[in-house]
Amino acid sequence: RRAPATRPGCCLLYASELASAQKVTVHVTRPVLPEVLILEPKVFGDDRGFFMESWNARKFQDATGVDATFVQDNHSRSARNVLRGIHYQMVKPQGKLVRVTQGAVFDVAVDLRRASPRFGQWVGVELSADNKRQLWVPPGFGHAFLVLTDTADFLYKTTEYWYPEHDRSLRWNDPAVGVAWPLDGAQPLLAAKDANAPLLGAAEVYA
């Protein structure tokens, strides 16, 4: 990145921030499901704004032990109480690294590996433009989110391309899973495929 000749200080400040970022590792938290990871990147902020690395392959692998290669980036905007999910891909399952750049969501991962001792268990975390958290949802897990603000911009990287013929949904309110959605009495706004998705007992899941 090059600054205009009339503003040499801009380039020097950016280089300093980037040099500092190179020294910082990503803070990783393992919630209830140990394969699902909460990542908190180091943010450098001042009265001009902020700078952070939203993705660094080397730091991600060093911090998590996961060697992920992403092939697609997606960006959605949704209104308050929109609930997308619970989605997963049976063939070529996707790992997802998700974050929010505007607004806030309640983000959920569900273990859909039948052989797992945590099969059917879930974890949820708030992701927002303010907290800048990211969630790693590994292959073998379902994923969903509920929008908590008037709108939210949701970005996610995937380790496999989307194949609509292998796309699957699990019912968002399946009592066997029991996600505690923070709806405060409101009804979620759902796509037809999500509203009519099968329950866990009848769903196609991973081995």
Side-chain angles (χ1 to χ4, degrees), residues 106-143:
F106 183 67
D107 203 70
V108 169
V110 182
D111 191 341
L112 296 179
R113 304 166 299 167
R114 192 173 296 280
S116 169
R118 293 171 290 276
F119 175 66
Q121 295 182 23
W122 65 277
V123 64
V125 61
E126 182 172 325
L127 306 179
S128 72
D130 290 335
N131 67 32
K132 297 178 177 58
R133 290 174 177 168
Q134 302 179 17
L135 193 71
W136 165 246
V137 182
F141 287 71
H143 173 254

Side-chain angles (χ1 to χ4, degrees), residues 2 7 10 15 29 45 59 64 108 128-129 139 166 170 178 193 200:
R2 300 184 60 165
R7 297 178 59 199
C10 174
T29 304
K59 289 183 182 178
T64 67
V108 169
S128 72
H166 302 310
L170 178 71
K193 72 167 188 174
L200 185 61

